[in-house]
Amino acid sequence: MATKNQVYIAVIGAGGVGKCFLSQLRSLAARKPSPKLNLCYVSSSYKVLYNEDYTEVSMEGVAESLAASSKAPPALSKVIDYLAAAPAKAILVDNTSSQDVADLYPLALSRGVSVVTPNKKAFSGSYQLWQDVFTAAATSGAKIYHESSVGAGLPVISTLKDLVETGDKVTKIEGVFSGTMSFLFNSFAPTSGQGGAWSEEVKKAKSLGYTEPDPRDDLNGLDVARKLTILARLVGLPVESPTAFPVQSLIPKELESCGSGDEFLEKLGAFDQQMEETKAKAQKVGKVVRFVGSINVAANKVKVGLEMFDPTHPIAALKGSDNIISFYTERYGSNPLIVQGAGAGGEVTAMGVTGDLLKVVAQIS
Amino acid sequence: MATKNQVYIAVIGAGGVGKCFLSQLRSLAARKPSPKLNLCYVSSSYKVLYNEDYTEVSMEGVAESLAASSKAPPALSKVIDYLAAAPAKAILVDNTSSQDVADLYPLALSRGVSVVTPNKKAFSGSYQLWQDVFTAAATSGAKIYHESSVGAGLPVISTLKDLVETGDKVTKIEGVFSGTMSFLFNSFAPTSGQGGAWSEEVKKAKSLGYTEPDPRDDLNGLDVARKLTILARLVGLPVESPTAFPVQSLIPKELESCGSGDEFLEKLGAFDQQMEETKAKAQKVGKVVRFVGSINVAANKVKVGLEMFDPTHPIAALKGSDNIISFYTERYGSNPLIVQGAGAGGEVTAMGVTGDLLKVVAQIS
C-alpha cells in the first residue's frame, strides 16, 4: 500500500516554465495529501538536486537550492534508470525544449516511467519518434501527456483527443497558434483599420518580451508548423515533419542570411512595403490579414501562412497575444467548437503541465 | 486479471441523448478492445434489458431490443445492488434528467459504482446532495463525472476543474449557457441591427425544435440558473440552490398562470412591446441585448438575466444556438479563456458522456 499512495516526480528544466511549474507543484502537494507527491529530482542545464536513496527534495525554495547546488546532472539515461528503480511509480516532467530529452521518452515510457511535458520536440519531429513514443506507452501502460505543447494551458489537445476518441469526425482545424503572431497582426492590421509599420510592430513585440530573443524564430513560421504537425497527427494524418507541408516565412529572402537578430531587426524596415501591400490588398476587399495554420483533414492538407478574414470573424477579432483554435467536426456541424485565450506565458504553460500531472497521477496511483 | 481488464456499464435512459450514447458506446467498444466494455443493463422509463448473471446485453440494435422488451425495470436501489455485486468495476450512466436517479448517486458511489451523467439534478439541486455525492466518491474511490451537465460536450467543467485544481484563482465566469436563449437573441437582436418580433422568434425556435416542448421551461431562466449553480459550486461558492440568487424570467407576469405552453405562445404577442423597448434601449447606446449568466467569485454574486453588450463583444457575436463561456482568472489576466460552440443536441451531449466514460475507465480499470 505504501507504494500505491505515493508518486515520484522528476523535473528537468528550471527556466521560465520550470520555475512556475515547481511553484504550482509545491502548492498542489500542500493541498493534495494523497497520493503523496514526492519531488525526487530537479535539474537545470548545469545543476541538479537529488538523493540516491530517493529521499525527498524539499519543494520549499527549490529554485534557490538548485541554483546553489554544486552537483552536475548525470547522463539522461542514468536519470531514467534512477526513476525506473524508484520505490513507487515515477513521472518525468520535461520542462525543456530539448530534442535530447525528447529522444529519451520511448526509453522512459518503456520502463514504466510516465512523461508530462510542454516540449514539442517528440511530437513534431520525425514521425518515427512519434510512433516510438506512443508504442512504448501503449506497451508498458505508462502515460504520456503534452497539453502545453499546443496553446499552452488552453484545452486544445485534450479537446481534440476527446473528439477523436469518442468517435467524432474532425473535418478541419483552423486557428492562430502563436501568441507572437497574434500580437503582431492584431497591432499591425487591427479590425479598426489603424495599425503601425510592420518593422515597428516587430520591434515593439520584441521589447515587450512577446518574441523569441531572435524574432526570426517566430517569423519563420516553424513554431506554428510544429503545433500543426502535432494536431494533424492526433487526427490521424501521418505528417512526416513540420517541413513536409507549405509554411510561409515572414522573413524577407534578402534577410535570411543576417548574422544576428539585431542586424535583422535593423534592416527589416526596408521591407515594410511588402507587408504594407498585403495589408492594403486585404483592406480593399474589406478584410484583415492574419497568420494562421489550418488542417483540412479530408484533403490531407496542412498549411501555415497569411490568410484574409472578415473583421467579424473570430480569428480577426482576437485580442492581444491570444490564440484561437476552431475545431470543425461532423457533430458540431457548421459552427465549430472554439477554444480561445492566452497560448503562451510561464504560468499558463505550467498550468497545462500541472493539469497533465494530475491526470497521470489519477491513473497510475 | 480478468476483472482488471473489463468494466460493466449500466445505462439508464434511452431518449435523445441515451440513444446517441448507446450508438457511440457501440462504436467505442468496437474500436477499444481493452478494457472490455460490457453493457450489462439498459433501461428506459418502462422497459429494461439485463441478465441476472451479468451476461452481456448485445450493443447491436440495442434500442430496438429494448423497445421490444417486455420486462419492466426493477427499483433503482436494486439496480445499484446488481452493479455493486458485478464481477468487475461498474459504471452507471444516467442519461435521464430524473431527480430520483440523481438522489441515488451517493448510494451508488459509496458502494464503489462510478457515475457519469449529463443530468444536472444532483449538482444543481440541494447543496446537501452535492456534498453527499462528492463525499461518497472521495470515500469509496468511485468516480463521478458530469461534463455534459453544462454546455453539453464543450470542455467547460473539465476546464474549470483544471483551473481550480492547478491552483489558478477564478475571478469571474460569464457566458451564454442556453442554446435556446442564444438562438432567440441572435435572431431577435442580431449585431446587424435587424431582428424579428420577440413572440415570432419564440414560435420559430419552437417549430425548429430549439425549445423545450413548453417554451416557458426555457424562458424562466431556471435551466441557466442550474448550470450557474454547478459552476459556482465548482469554484467553491456554497450556493444553496438555483433559486438562491437573482434569476430574470422572460415570462411576462400576466402569462405565468397560462394553462398550457400553446396558450402561452398565443398570448405572448401582446407583450412584444416590453422586449421591443429593451432592444431599443440597447440600440440607443450602440449595444445589443443578450441573456447571460455570470458568477463574480470575489463578491460571491451569481446572477442570470438580460445584459447589454457591444456588438464586437464575443458574447454578442455568437452564432446560431452556440454557447459561450468565458473564464476570467488570475493567470489568464484581462483576456479570458473562452470555450464556444454547440451546447445542446443529442450527439454532442452524448459525446461529453462518452468522454467522461473514457476518463473513468482509464482510472478504474
Side-chain angles (χ1 to χ4, degrees):
Chain A
M1 278 312 280
T3 60
K4 254 294 211 197
N5 280 323
Q6 51 182 322
V7 169
Y8 286 88
I9 297 169
V11 181
I12 301 186
V17 174
K19 279 205 180 71
C20 293
F21 171 77
L22 286 167
S23 145
Q24 290 181 20
L25 178 65
R26 186 184 162 201
S27 73
L28 177 65
R31 287 197 310 276
K32 191 178 159 63
S34 174
K36 182 164 170 16
L37 306 173
N38 294 309
L39 180 64
C40 67
Y41 181 101
V42 197
S43 68
S44 60
S45 306
Y46 303 107
K47 302 191 168 201
V48 69
L49 288 177
Y50 77 108
N51 303 299
E52 287 289 354
D53 65 354
Y54 301 96
T55 316
E56 249 190 290
V57 173
S58 167
M59 293 188 199
E60 204 179 313
V62 63
E64 293 74 16
S65 313
L66 180 62
S69 164
S70 55
K71 239 197 293 193
L76 284 168
S77 65
K78 295 282 171 205
V79 180
I80 294 171
D81 288 343
Y82 170 76
L83 291 174
K89 292 276 179 73
I91 303 173
L92 175 65
V93 181
D94 171 18
N95 283 323
T96 74
S97 57
S98 152
Q99 184 69 53
D100 290 344
V101 182
D103 284 339
L104 283 174
Y105 296 171
L107 178 65
L109 292 161
S110 67
R111 300 193 60 191
V113 176
S114 294
V115 176
V116 307
T117 185
N119 183 352
K120 289 186 271 290
K121 297 288 164 62
F123 315 101
S124 63
S126 81
Y127 193 61
Q128 186 61 50
L129 179 55
W130 165 278
Q131 285 179 307
D132 291 349
V133 162
F134 290 99
T135 305
T139 311
S140 73
K143 307 297 170 192
I144 169 90
Y145 276 75
H146 55 104
E147 183 64 82
S148 290
S149 62
V150 179
L154 296 176
V156 175
I157 300 224
S158 53
T159 297
L160 181 55
K161 276 192 185 169
D162 273 358
L163 290 166
V164 171
E165 286 175 5
T166 63
D168 199 356
K169 206 176 144 190
V170 178
T171 52
K172 191 171 93 169
I173 303 174
E174 181 183 51
V176 173
F177 293 89
S178 153
T180 312
M181 291 294 199
S182 181
F183 180 84
L184 282 173
F185 283 89
N186 296 342
S187 314
F188 168 67
T191 50
S192 62
Q194 312 289 330
W198 177 249
S199 61
E200 290 309 314
E201 295 301 338
V202 175
K203 280 174 202 159
K204 194 168 76 186
K206 182 174 153 68
S207 73
L208 290 169
Y210 284 140
T211 70
E212 295 294 319
D214 183 340
R216 287 175 297 180
D217 292 337
D218 296 298
L219 297 178
N220 65 14
L222 189 64
D223 175 65
V224 177
R226 286 195 174 279
K227 293 169 185 168
L228 270 280
T229 301
I230 297 174
L231 299 182
R233 288 176 178 174
L234 286 173
V235 209
L237 300 184
V239 174
E240 193 49 52
S241 81
T243 54
F245 50 85
V247 177
Q248 184 176 359
S249 167
L250 299 185
I251 303 173
K253 276 218 164 359
E254 298 85 342
L255 298 185
E256 274 172 359
S257 56
C258 280
S260 72
D262 287 340
E263 186 196 336
F264 166 77
L265 269 185
E266 256 170 52
K267 295 182 174 169
L268 186 59
F271 299 87
D272 276 350
Q273 192 51 33
Q274 293 178 5
M275 289 298 285
E276 220 36 65
E277 280 163 20
T278 310
K279 177 154 87 173
K281 206 173 129 194
Q283 273 173 342
K284 209 175 254 176
V285 290
K287 304 205 172 194
V288 293
V289 69
R290 293 290 182 267
F291 193 84
V292 301
S294 65
I295 301 167
N296 183 326
V297 183
N300 191 0
K301 281 212 158 56
V302 184
K303 69 176 177 192
V304 171
L306 293 172
E307 307 258 353
M308 298 195 296
F309 291 90
D310 201 86
T312 60
H313 193 287
I315 284 184
L318 218 54
K319 296 236 161 54
S321 60
D322 278 3
N323 284 192
I324 184 168
I325 294 96
S326 306
F327 299 98
Y328 293 83
T329 83
E330 211 166 79
R331 284 186 198 139
Y332 279 93
S334 53
N335 284 359
L337 188 174
I338 297 177
V339 175
Q340 180 180 332
E347 284 293 349
V348 294
T349 305
M351 170 193 147
V353 181
T354 306
D356 281 351
L357 181 83
L358 280 165
K359 289 176 184 86
V360 172
V361 166
Q363 291 175 63
I364 67 174
S365 69
Chain B
M1 277 312 282
T3 59
K4 253 296 209 195
N5 281 323
Q6 51 181 323
V7 168
Y8 285 88
I9 297 169
V11 181
I12 301 186
V17 174
K19 278 205 180 70
C20 292
F21 171 77
L22 285 166
S23 147
Q24 290 182 19
L25 178 65
R26 187 185 161 199
S27 71
L28 177 67
R31 287 197 311 276
K32 192 179 158 63
S34 174
K36 183 165 173 15
L37 306 173
N38 295 308
L39 180 65
C40 67
Y41 182 102
V42 196
S43 69
S44 60
S45 306
Y46 303 107
K47 302 191 168 200
V48 71
L49 289 178
Y50 76 109
N51 303 300
E52 288 288 353
D53 64 355
Y54 302 95
T55 316
E56 249 189 289
V57 174
S58 168
M59 293 187 199
E60 204 179 314
V62 62
E64 294 74 16
S65 314
L66 180 63
S69 164
S70 56
K71 239 196 295 194
L76 284 168
S77 64
K78 294 282 172 205
V79 181
I80 293 170
D81 288 343
Y82 169 75
L83 291 174
K89 292 277 179 70
I91 303 173
L92 174 66
V93 181
D94 171 18
N95 283 323
T96 73
S97 56
S98 151
Q99 184 70 53
D100 290 344
V101 183
D103 285 339
L104 282 174
Y105 295 171
L107 177 65
L109 291 162
S110 68
R111 299 194 59 192
V113 176
S114 293
V115 176
V116 306
T117 185
N119 183 352
K120 289 185 271 291
K121 296 288 163 61
F123 315 101
S124 63
S126 81
Y127 193 61
Q128 185 63 48
L129 179 55
W130 166 277
Q131 286 178 307
D132 290 348
V133 163
F134 290 99
T135 304
T139 310
S140 73
K143 309 296 169 193
I144 168 91
Y145 277 74
H146 56 104
E147 184 63 82
S148 289
S149 63
V150 179
L154 296 176
V156 175
I157 300 227
S158 53
T159 297
L160 181 55
K161 274 192 185 169
D162 273 359
L163 289 166
V164 170
E165 285 175 7
T166 64
D168 200 357
K169 206 176 144 190
V170 178
T171 51
K172 190 171 96 171
I173 302 174
E174 181 183 52
V176 174
F177 293 90
S178 154
T180 312
M181 291 294 199
S182 182
F183 180 85
L184 283 173
F185 283 89
N186 297 342
S187 314
F188 168 67
T191 50
S192 62
Q194 313 289 331
W198 176 249
S199 61
E200 290 307 314
E201 295 301 337
V202 175
K203 279 174 203 158
K204 194 168 78 186
K206 181 173 154 67
S207 72
L208 289 169
Y210 284 141
T211 69
E212 295 293 319
D214 184 339
R216 287 175 296 180
D217 292 337
D218 296 297
L219 297 178
N220 64 15
L222 189 63
D223 175 63
V224 177
R226 285 195 175 278
K227 293 171 185 167
L228 269 281
T229 301
I230 297 174
L231 298 183
R233 287 175 178 175
L234 285 173
V235 213
L237 300 183
V239 174
E240 192 48 53
S241 82
T243 54
F245 50 86
V247 177
Q248 184 177 358
S249 168
L250 298 185
I251 303 173
K253 277 219 163 359
E254 297 85 342
L255 299 184
E256 275 173 358
S257 56
C258 281
S260 74
D262 287 339
E263 186 196 337
F264 166 76
L265 269 185
E266 255 171 54
K267 294 182 174 167
L268 186 60
F271 299 87
D272 276 349
Q273 192 52 33
Q274 292 178 7
M275 288 298 284
E276 224 28 72
E277 279 163 19
T278 309
K279 176 153 87 171
K281 205 172 130 195
Q283 273 173 341
K284 209 176 254 175
V285 290
K287 303 205 172 195
V288 293
V289 69
R290 293 290 181 268
F291 194 83
V292 300
S294 66
I295 301 167
N296 182 327
V297 182
N300 193 359
K301 281 213 157 58
V302 184
K303 70 175 177 193
V304 171
L306 294 173
E307 308 258 354
M308 299 196 295
F309 291 89
D310 200 86
T312 60
H313 193 286
I315 284 183
L318 218 55
K319 296 237 160 53
S321 60
D322 279 3
N323 285 192
I324 185 169
I325 295 97
S326 306
F327 299 99
Y328 292 82
T329 83
E330 211 165 80
R331 285 186 198 140
Y332 279 92
S334 52
N335 284 359
L337 189 173
I338 298 177
V339 175
Q340 181 180 331
E347 284 292 347
V348 294
T349 305
M351 171 194 146
V353 181
T354 306
D356 281 351
L357 181 81
L358 280 165
K359 289 177 186 85
V360 173
V361 167
Q363 291 176 64
I364 67 173
S365 70

